[in-house]
Amino acid sequence: MSAFVALDNVTHAYGGAGGTLAVDGLSIAVEAGEFAAVVGPSGCGKSTLMKLATGLQFPRTGAVTVAGAAVNAPVKIAGMAFQAPTLLPWRTTAENLLLPLEIVQPYRGQMRRRKAEFRERAERLLASVGLAGQGAKFPWELSGGMQQRASLCRALIHEPQLLMLDEPFAALDAFTREELWCVIRDLHAARKITVILVTHDLREAVFLADRVFVMSARPGRVVAEKRIELPRPRDLEVTFIPQFQDIVHELRGHIIKARQ
Amino acid sequence: MNRTAIIVRLSPWLFTIGLLIVWEASVHIFKIPVFFLPPPTAVAQAFVEFAGPLARNSWITLETTLIGFALAVGFGLLLGLLVGWSRTIYAGLYPLMIGFNAIPKVAVVPILVLWFGIGFIPAVLTAFLISFFPIVVNVATGLATIEPELEDVLKALGASKLDIMRKVGIPRTLPYFFGSLKVAITLAFVGSVISESVASNYGIGNLMLQAQAQFQVPLIFAGLVVLAIEGIAMYAVMAILERRMTGWAQRSGFAQS
Ligand SMILES: Nc1ncnc2c1ncn2[C@@H]1O[C@H](COP(=O)(O)OP(=O)(O)OP(=O)(O)O)[C@@H](O)[C@H]1O
Ligand SMILES: [Mg+2]
């Protein structure tokens, strides 16, 4: 079966012809419905990979395909969340969630007619990440972890086929982070969407992903790939079993090698 | 309201009254002649004596300033959006605007007089020319500093440039815009008074010039006071407008503490 998101031997540099390469010979293929995690040293091109896969940047050489089509414009089917929640401070949390619906068709054209329904959907989504009844608050009235949850909701409200997460939990405390792992795990299980997660946290990668890709130092490319065979649904307890620890150790080894 | 809060409330008045008392006292103690520095009481007298001309001319100056300011807001907003919209326009216009802003506007007045004759129009245009620049710069800055991540989120949803401008660019620029109005209105007064004093038969600027020619020094100071009052009033209007329109941007307790 052909991959849902595929980068084939991609090279990319920022800043025109003279720029140093960010990624070089990068190939990755993620299947539909798969949960992929990407780990690697800082500055190796993980965020670049995300931008290439969503058509926010175009490769110098190589090919990018998403959902069977070559990417030559922003993809329009992706929901994205980053380390910073990037919510709009002048909108309430619920209104922030509606933002994608104001842009993506067919919702965009139905905004006026189905507003009440969309609002309800936003409230339901907020409730599903533990933010029930917080929709009327402004983002700056929420804690960092709550904002990050809202940001995840915004990435999901238009029911994208592809969810791109770039270190979304990096700024959170360990307990909130683990709570959100479970939120993402359940969302992925319920909706069967394709997820690409960039993270520095190997436990996070192993807990959530079907496959973990390890990238080399800059210019980045995939140097190792590990299928995580742990059965689903996974419980947080799984992070304490020896098999889990072994996988984390193995990946750690790859990263240490990649840094050199 | 506790004690400090009351003192903070009263402090502008206390400081103003304090300044007036020091001023009045110094004039008497050092025996400063009225034609050099009139005491506040003399200025107050001039206010009563010349109430008619002061009222008439201050109205003209206010009108001139506000029309010039309104033009600056419209034009500044438009140009700011254009400059913020496109890198090419930005690159092309920026040096021109810097150069234009560097020209002392008093040097432009003679040209305006050449084109429009002395009076109302050059004063309005000077007020406009001097006050539009901060608006352009602030609007363009607001647009240029959109968080790239946010832009990415929207682009990955298929948002057009216009969408991004409408949903993010313009709302996030409003605090910069309203902030710049406070600067711009103050500059607009500078512009209209400059032009009135060199090329007009009306307005506070002209009135002060005539008072100077006739050595009515208290009247000159009365003119200054009128300008200060008008300036403060308009600044306050802009500040209130800013707070009303962009309350979300004023969350920091920094300025309040
Ligand atoms: N907008 C940009 N302009 C110029 N160079 C950039 C830009 N974004 C990234 N780079 C460069 O490309 C390389 C890869 O950056 P990228 O952001 O993809 O790294 P990363 O793997 O996401 O790092 P981190 O783990 O620290 O987030 C870096 O060396 C960086 O300097
Ligand atoms: Mg990154």
Side-chain angles (χ1 to χ4, degrees), chain A residues 30 37 40 142 145-146 196:
Chain A
V30 178
L142 305 179
M146 291 158 94
I196 302 183

Side-chain angles (χ1 to χ4, degrees), chain A residues 3 36 93 120 133 229 246 256:
Chain A
T93 306
E120 212 170 286
E229 307 281 6
D246 291 344
I256 288 168

Side-chain angles (χ1 to χ4, degrees), chain B residues 220-237:
Chain B
I220 301 180
F221 277 80
L224 283 181
V225 171
V226 165
L227 287 177
I229 291 171
E230 287 188 344
I232 292 172
M234 285 303 120
Y235 185 94
V237 169

